Amino acid sequence: MRLAALPIALAVSGCNWVVMSPSGDIATQQRDLVLVATGLMLLIVLPVIALTLLFAFRYRASNKAATYSPDWDHSVGLELMIWGAPLLIIIALGAITWTSTHLLDPYRPLARIKPEAQTTGTNVPLGTLGGTPQQIKGGANNPLEVDVVALDWKWLFIYPEYGIATVNELAAPVDRPIKFKLTSSSVMNAFYIPALAGMIYTMPGMETTLHAVINKPGDYEGFSSNYSGAGFSGMRFRFYGTSDADFDAWVGRIKSGGGGLDRANYLRLVKPTEKVPVMRFGTVDAGLFKAIVEQCVAPGKPCMSTLMAHDEKDGMTMPGVNGGHGPQEAESRPEGALMKDGDEKGSGKHWTAPADLKRDGGTRTPGHSDNRDHTMLVPHTLPGSRPVAVG
């Protein structure tokens, strides 16, 4: 028996069970949903597997004692069991999944920080920051805001409440809700800390939201779970669940020893790099994250909100857009080809001579109906085809 169990033990010895043993309330509820859904499905799967093996053994060719009923084709009780049991399980599974997925919506603010503690939304002092007593904005039960930017190939975390930022390092106090606002600098990515919550995608020009909480102090791994190019495998970071005092000390160290992250530094940081070490910034441009989302960090580049305002004004040119020449009537803009009449479009040179006049029945007369299958605006030769004769 021990020898038989050895291969199984070896197979699972390298597994990381963090998804089944998380440290955050959201991840715990997601794990419970997976277990409940799996258990409900096994109510059908296991009996079917067992009955399949039983029938194969009982009605084997060598068992002459088994009842042979070739004309039997219906049983009310058996039909009710076959269709009724799966139907009840599907109804139960659907109800549980529908309610749970709405309660675990990443955009939904947390109603609790753990099973025995509800959020209150009150401001509670968080101790000291850098040796000076302060009332931290939000308090212990209001969310800690963290702006997340997926770069190539690293993670940028901005703490707007504290005016700091880090690269590939994230920290949060235990039992304090966290509100992540996420975006990407170039390509789609996926933010995932298995011990904290499920993954959520980040996309350039868009902002997604994730609410979560960590309930146990520790050092956890975070990474990108969506392939994003050459440096994807090294796009990992550490997430620290800390006490309030340790978090205050961490913030204080960054404020006192980190550099500044303004738009010019961000433009240098955003360039693709691999296996980037931890970086810390003691000050951050207050409007940086909004500019990243709206893709207007570079000087002179209009923000998406400006472009949308331009569209809402029915084609009026906004200052700073289209060269910054000020208002200009939409009627002065050239129309596309689809908006023009046929006689306004003009025509290009037609190449009408077919490759073989006798065989194809064509003629060199431009516009002749025999040439309608041989007419093209630009002559080209596809691989394996004959060159077009030019007449």
Side-chain angles (χ1 to χ4, degrees):
M1 290 292 292
R2 292 178 180 177
L3 291 175
L6 183 59
I8 300 176
L10 291 175
V12 302
S13 61
C15 296
N16 188 344
W17 291 93
V18 62
V19 175
M20 291 292 105
S21 182
S23 300
D25 187 60
I26 294 297
T28 299
Q29 294 182 66
Q30 292 172 335
R31 175 206 61 190
D32 294 344
L33 177 59
V34 171
L35 292 176
V36 170
T38 303
L40 287 172
M41 291 184 286
L42 287 178
L43 292 177
I44 292 297
V45 174
L46 292 181
V48 168
I49 293 175
L51 289 173
T52 300
L53 297 175
L54 175 63
F55 292 163
F57 175 77
R58 178 173 176 80
Y59 297 102
R60 64 191 186 279
S62 60
N63 185 14
K64 304 302 182 182
T67 303
Y68 177 64
S69 303
D71 298 325
W72 180 88
D73 58 6
H74 183 72
S75 170
V76 174
L78 188 58
E79 292 288 343
L80 288 175
M81 183 180 68
I82 291 174
W83 296 105
L87 181 60
L88 292 175
I89 291 175
I90 290 172
I91 292 173
L93 185 61
I96 293 172
T97 303
W98 189 89
T99 56
S100 298
T101 50
H102 281 76
L103 290 173
L104 296 174
D105 184 347
Y107 283 78
R108 182 188 181 99
L110 301 185
R112 74 182 199 187
I113 56 177
K114 49 189 172 183
E116 65 276 11
Q118 304 295 316
T119 56
T120 63
T122 58
N123 290 332
V124 179
L126 286 181
T128 62
L129 176 60
T132 303
Q134 296 189 19
Q135 175 74 28
I136 302 302
K137 177 184 176 184
N141 286 295
N142 283 345
L144 168 68
E145 294 185 5
V146 182
D147 298 334
V148 181
V149 184
L151 305 175
D152 296 331
W153 287 273
K154 48 198 171 284
W155 291 96
L156 171 64
F157 304 106
I158 301 173
Y159 290 76
E161 297 175 10
Y162 303 94
I164 64 172
T166 59
V167 172
N168 288 344
E169 183 179 64
L170 178 66
V174 170
D175 292 342
R176 183 179 178 187
I178 313 169
K179 179 182 179 181
F180 295 103
K181 294 189 296 182
L182 308 99
T183 190
S184 176
S185 63
S186 59
V187 299
M188 186 170 70
N189 243 297
F191 176 78
Y192 189 28
I193 305 176
L196 182 70
M199 72 175 184
I200 186 166
Y201 283 97
T202 65
M203 291 161 280
M206 300 181 67
E207 179 183 310
T208 49
T209 303
L210 173 66
H211 287 86
V213 63
I214 192 71
N215 299 121
K216 299 177 183 178
D219 178 357
Y220 306 102
E221 183 181 28
F223 53 89
S224 171
S225 54
N226 185 81
Y227 181 73
S228 57
F232 161 76
S233 60
M235 197 171 173
R236 298 174 177 269
F237 62 93
R238 305 310 302 178
F239 170 57
Y240 301 103
T242 68
S243 65
D244 292 340
D246 289 342
F247 180 74
D248 290 347
W250 179 78
V251 172
R253 289 194 300 271
I254 295 177
K255 277 186 168 292
S256 61
L261 182 62
D262 55 16
R263 298 195 178 201
N265 286 337
Y266 172 80
L267 291 176
R268 288 190 286 269
L269 180 66
V270 78
K271 294 179 181 179
T273 50
E274 299 184 29
K275 298 180 179 179
V276 177
V278 173
M279 303 171 64
R280 302 179 179 92
F281 303 93
T283 60
V284 182
D285 187 325
L288 179 60
F289 182 73
K290 185 175 185 294
I292 295 171
V293 174
E294 297 204 16
Q295 300 184 321
C296 57
V297 178
K301 187 174 182 180
C303 296
M304 291 193 301
S305 58
T306 304
L307 297 175
M308 288 187 288
H310 161 68
D311 292 338
E312 290 176 358
K313 290 185 178 293
D314 195 23
M316 297 293 287
T317 302
M318 301 295 295
V321 182
N322 293 341
H325 299 300
Q328 180 180 357
E329 295 298 330
E331 286 76 8
S332 65
R333 294 182 301 169
E335 294 181 347
L338 293 178
M339 304 299 295
K340 294 183 178 180
D341 295 331
D343 56 354
E344 295 178 318
K345 297 179 183 179
S347 61
K349 185 178 181 180
H350 286 258
W351 300 77
T352 58
D356 190 330
L357 299 180
K358 294 182 179 179
R359 187 188 65 185
D360 296 336
T363 174
R364 295 183 184 275
T365 304
H368 195 280
S369 60
D370 290 344
N371 293 327
R372 63 180 182 270
D373 294 332
H374 305 286
T375 301
M376 62 183 73
L377 291 177
V378 180
H380 64 276
T381 302
L382 296 176
S385 63
R386 295 168 299 171
V388 177
V390 179

